[in-house]
Amino acid sequence: MTVRIGVIGTGMIGRDHTRRIQQVLAGAEVVALSDYNPDAARAVQADLAPAAQVYEKGEDLIAAPEVDAILVCSTGATHEPYVLAAIAAGKPVFCEKPLATTADGAKRIVDAEAAFGRRLVQVGFMRRYDAGYVALKAAVDSQIGAPIMVHAAHRNPTVPEHYLTPMAIHDTLIHEIDVLRWLLNDDYVSARVLFPRKAARSHGKLRDPQVVVLETAKGVLIDVEIFVNCHYGYDIQCEIVGEDGIAKLPEPMAIQMRLDAKLQNPILTDWKDRFVDSYDVELNDFIKAAAQGTAAGPSSWDGYVAAITSDACVAAQEADGEAVAISLPARPALYN
Ligand code: NAP
């Protein structure tokens, strides 16, 4: 079966996912496109999907009989209504992060999907599909013993002026929030945020770097350094300390050089290059599940937990180093 996909939001990631479906992956084709800016949708149609129909409204694309499954790649604030409409239509939907911009919005999606009674939503937490994180999870599950501590870092070379302190949580830490919970098979119970002195390259409205300390229900202590003006490169680090040993996320493959009297390995500078393969694998997972009329991978529940945790971390940014409690409601049976 070829899954007929409609893409809502044809900006940077919507265009890239359309390219994946049309040129890289098997089992699906893009038959419909929609964007708030119709010229953006028509440009993607011309470049990548000439047979696709362009819809002015995302709601009409979701309802279209030729569309079997939907990709929501529009700006974050628009995700919730589109995902709810897809659930109401009984169609599998892949939603880029965030699932919703508020925890209440994410809860409405969880409730709608649980009431529908079958998984339809996959959230775009692509790190779970990265080969390095998959290998790290295997080591955590079977080799290093019960986890005790995690040391992680998320570093970007620079960010624009419109990137403000809470975005370090909602836009950046959100990936660590999901992937660490998945690696540890655990949930968070509290968050603290500590700020060292502000880095010289940090612009006026941004407190950078910062350290987020998360505690889990099983008593694991996690520190994540977020440093988005680190200057030297895009660098994701993760080390898990267990009872019997330590497992570390592998570095991206790079040619080691002996050059100019130095032994050197290049470091990536663009985040798109770091996880490029994982986007292929996550969408392949979506296509396979959508062909069966369902969804796999990171769920609405995972998106909801990430939203609750993000809100607690943003509150902790304002709490002078005090811990902010994180409590989750009961998990619906659909997500067990
Ligand atoms: P983008 O380049 O700004 O594209 C978003 C597109 O959605 C724009 O063309 C925008 O049109 C359009 N849009 C806005 N409101 C809409 C609506 N109501 N209906 C339909 N289209 C609408 O942004 P992006 O970088 O692709 O990011 C899109 C989403 O993907 C965000 O939620 C982002 O967090 C997520 N993302 C995830 C990853 C990841 O690593 N998983 C990476 C990148 C992005 P206008 O420009 O006219 O507003």
Side-chain angles (χ1 to χ4, degrees), residues 140 144-148 241-244:
V140 172
I144 62 164
I148 306 168
V241 179
E243 294 282 354
D244 303 325

Side-chain angles (χ1 to χ4, degrees), residues 10-32:
T10 53
M12 190 274 295
I13 201 95
R15 170 181 276 270
D16 204 34
H17 285 335
T18 302
R19 175 193 61 79
R20 268 186 189 92
I21 293 165
Q22 297 295 90
Q23 299 179 353
V24 181
L25 303 174
E29 68 175 306
V30 173
V31 299

Side-chain angles (χ1 to χ4, degrees), residues 248-306:
K248 196 171 188 314
L249 183 69
E251 298 289 344
M253 191 176 70
I255 298 295
Q256 192 181 70
M257 288 177 283
R258 286 166 162 79
L259 199 64
D260 297 333
K262 289 187 195 118
L263 182 62
Q264 44 186 269
N265 291 78
I267 293 178
L268 295 173
T269 54
D270 189 335
W271 60 267
K272 289 188 221 77
D273 298 329
R274 174 64 182 84
F275 292 108
V276 64
D277 296 335
S278 60
Y279 292 111
D280 291 348
V281 188
E282 74 169 353
L283 273 194
N284 195 47
D285 212 24
F286 177 70
I287 292 166
K288 276 195 308 186
Q292 307 300 317
T294 186
S299 66
S300 298
W301 179 256
D302 298 317
Y304 177 39
V305 172

Side-chain angles (χ1 to χ4, degrees), residues 7-17 34-38 40-41 56-59 72-79 81-82 94-99 123-127 170-171 174-175 234 271-272 275 279 282:
V7 179
I8 300 176
T10 53
M12 190 274 295
I13 201 95
R15 170 181 276 270
D16 204 34
H17 285 335
S34 179
D35 194 283
Y36 193 63
N37 167 8
E56 268 194 27
K57 289 185 165 181
E59 291 80 0
V72 176
C73 304
S74 44
T75 34
T78 69
H79 293 181
Y82 288 139
F94 172 92
C95 180
E96 264 306 341
K97 62 89 188 162
L99 178 61
V123 182
F125 288 132
M126 77 295 175
R127 284 200 196 174
H170 287 303
D171 280 27
I174 187 114
H175 286 297
Y234 180 78
W271 60 267
K272 289 188 221 77
F275 292 108
Y279 292 111
E282 74 169 353

